[in-house]
Amino acid sequence: MLRLSEQQILERIAAGKTFECEMVDGSFSLKIDEYTPAICAAVHNGHQFRDSLKVSCALDDGERLYEEDPFTGELIDAMPITLIGQDSRYEYDLNRPVATCIYKKAWGKEVWHKPVSASQRKTSVNKHRVFYNILSALVEKVESLYGACVVFDVHSYNHLRREETDTPTFNLGTEQIDLDRWNAVVQRFEKNLGKIELTNLEVRAAQNEVFYGRGYLIAHVNSRFENTLVLPCEVKKVFMDELTGEPYRLLLNELKEGMKHCLSDTGAFFSRRHTRKSRTRRLDMLSSQLDPAIKRVDEGLYRLARGTETLFYINPVNILQEKRRFFARKGNYQPEFRYRPLAIDPYQFREQLYKLPVDTIRDPGIQQMYCQVIDGLSSKIDLLVSAGQPEFVYSSLKYYGEPSLEDEANARFLLHAADFEGPEEATYSADEAVALFSQKAAAWGMQCKVKATSNLVASAMVSNSKRTLFVNKQMRFSEIEIAALTNHELGVHMATTLNAAAQTLKVFSLGLPGNTMTQEGLAILNEYHSGGLTLKRLKGLALRVLAVKEMLKYGSFRHTYSYLLEEMGMTPDDAFKLAVRVHRSGGFTKDYLYLRGVSEALNLHRAGDISALYVGKTGFDYLPLLDELITRGMIKQPLFVPEYLKEPKQVSGILDYLVSSIRPTAPVGFLDGAVSRAKVAA
């Protein structure tokens, strides 16, 4: 970070430059990512205390910390303009005028057992003066750009020892505010604060119940600027242990996310009413610059995890040989599949994952996304390490979950539907299918490869790392299957692979939590919208749900095969392929997610625009955040979006009824299956 003098900072502000710095003496930090109508200040955030003063101070570190406002700087850090005090209020209080900014007694305690010398006092008073020179220059600059400015003056307060009554979570001090002029903004701020959600806590915002807004910051600005509103806000220290200063990190993260939305929405409301920028959205109040900390974490994450493509390690390498043995012995044989060895040290991988400096990311929503990706990758390694071992199924359950009763009910509902479609003739060989897929990819402008291979369980599969669509050599395809696979594999899986590769952030190539269900749900949705989804295909997805149930219940390949063959009426070849899908590596539960995914995708599509989900390997839960990041210009609009997303083809009324009747299922506690229970706000 830059260390600048007062004059250097003033020159940069006057020139309208964006920058981040500390004052040369470390007394405060200033960040200007963009010039917006809102400035955020946390004047009591700091704990620094000069060694030369400690010998005179009657209070120890803990006593000083108790009355300071730690973490208030974090509460405003997602905003583009922040001014954060880094010195202790016990050296000089920035919320008092110069004449009284150095305490003699505070909260009933003598602060000094030895008087502060004139030279020490002069140093502290000069820091106070510089801070307000910078604040004044900032306000002046913002007023010159927009005609008006709002300053959020954020503090925190202790409550356990002092307040016997029920005090508000957020207290607005309005005594020095001209409410005749600014009341609508004050009311908006109070309302937004009251809407913040904190786990296991009742949130309430109020005016002047505990503090009245009598501080110097608002007085200083009021006396110099006619068109700037200062909003003093005290946050109850529910997010930390008041006595030790330790944060409750999960609660603090929720509060940071809530404050980000509150400050940006209130700032936009102020801008529309009082500045020359009358058309202001909430997201216009946030930075469009990609925080360097995000890039550092993203690059480190990608270097670590780019070789962890699940199916590369999960799929057997000897399917054809074991299939021949299985049928040669008329099903009286337990296949012995082999798998690629994992080229990763799992311990070192996890260790390096959790060393990534995620805590340096300022935006709480983006920080939370990377934390969840890291947790997911840690569990994914458990999955890959145990491939082919008895414990694999437990790792699969942790990572993907298992079918719920609702999933099973949806599957049986579809399997009971009477056939209404004619037979499909498999007229295309694998080589012919490769040619057709290649032609379509070229027509869509996709720079990718299409190849036939014998080492596939599925009919076709996209390899993200190789940007290749692999087609099963053993398969023949009907015309409608070609259309469905084109829109499934190329239209979604390849499209999101290429979209992710075009992003600055590589996390979208690695995949967000929930990306498996999301990818498959979007892919089946595209089959449906393109007219390529058939009842046979839906029943195939339903059979996958039941096959996973049987695998989990009995754990026997031969039992699952016999169940699919004899009770479900599948052909021997199809029954074998599906049994391999669910038993590979020791019990792979992923396949039930397809049916659940299309239900979730369809519901989201009917509710609004879902195009942001195509920026890469995303998750349904992240749609609001993705929309935000695109609007802020931090990630690119997806280049490849299914052509049928905006104008779906008309489909059979029966098929439409069947798909619409798939009931939504409640999320269960796993990482890459249904919608995550974790909050991913926007």
Side-chain angles (χ1 to χ4, degrees), residues 68-85:
E68 293 159 354
D69 298 351
F71 311 110
T72 50
E74 287 192 40
L75 298 184
I76 62 174
D77 217 8
M79 300 299 288
I81 305 178
T82 60
L83 186 57
I84 300 173

Side-chain angles (χ1 to χ4, degrees), residues 9 36 76 79 84 100 102 160 178 207 232 263 273-274 301 330 400 440 455 497 516 527 550 581 590 597 654 678:
I9 295 172
T36 68
I76 62 174
M79 300 299 288
I84 300 173
T100 58
I102 299 176
L160 296 178
D178 180 357
Q207 295 182 38
L263 297 173
R273 282 180 164 250
H274 297 288
L301 185 64
K330 299 181 180 180
Y400 295 106
K440 195 63 176 179
N455 288 324
T497 293
T516 299
E527 290 185 46
E550 291 299 308
R581 287 185 68 99
K590 168 196 148 182
I654 298 173

Side-chain angles (χ1 to χ4, degrees), residues 252-262 363-365 368 681-682:
L252 180 58
N253 288 343
E254 287 182 338
L255 183 56
K256 286 163 58 178
E257 183 68 31
M259 288 293 288
K260 167 188 160 183
H261 294 283
C262 174
D363 187 289
Q368 184 182 35

Side-chain angles (χ1 to χ4, degrees), residues 376-446:
L377 284 169
S378 179
S379 289
K380 185 178 183 179
I381 284 299
D382 290 340
L383 187 78
L384 301 184
V385 165
S386 58
Q389 305 300 316
E391 61 269 22
F392 175 86
V393 68
Y394 302 106
S395 297
S396 181
L397 285 168
K398 179 181 178 182
Y399 197 72
Y400 295 106
E402 65 177 310
S404 65
L405 293 175
E406 291 91 344
D407 290 315
E408 186 175 1
N410 286 333
R412 295 194 183 281
F413 165 76
L414 292 173
L415 289 169
H416 277 100
D419 291 332
F420 62 91
E421 299 160 336
E424 303 166 21
E425 186 178 352
T427 57
Y428 295 99
S429 68
D431 289 337
E432 290 170 325
V434 166
L436 291 170
F437 293 143
S438 298
Q439 290 170 17
K440 195 63 176 179
W444 283 342
M446 291 180 165

Side-chain angles (χ1 to χ4, degrees), residues 8-22:
Q8 288 172 318
I9 295 172
L10 292 173
E11 287 172 357
R12 280 169 165 77
I13 293 172
K17 292 184 177 180
T18 58
F19 63 102
E20 182 176 357
C21 73
E22 277 189 345

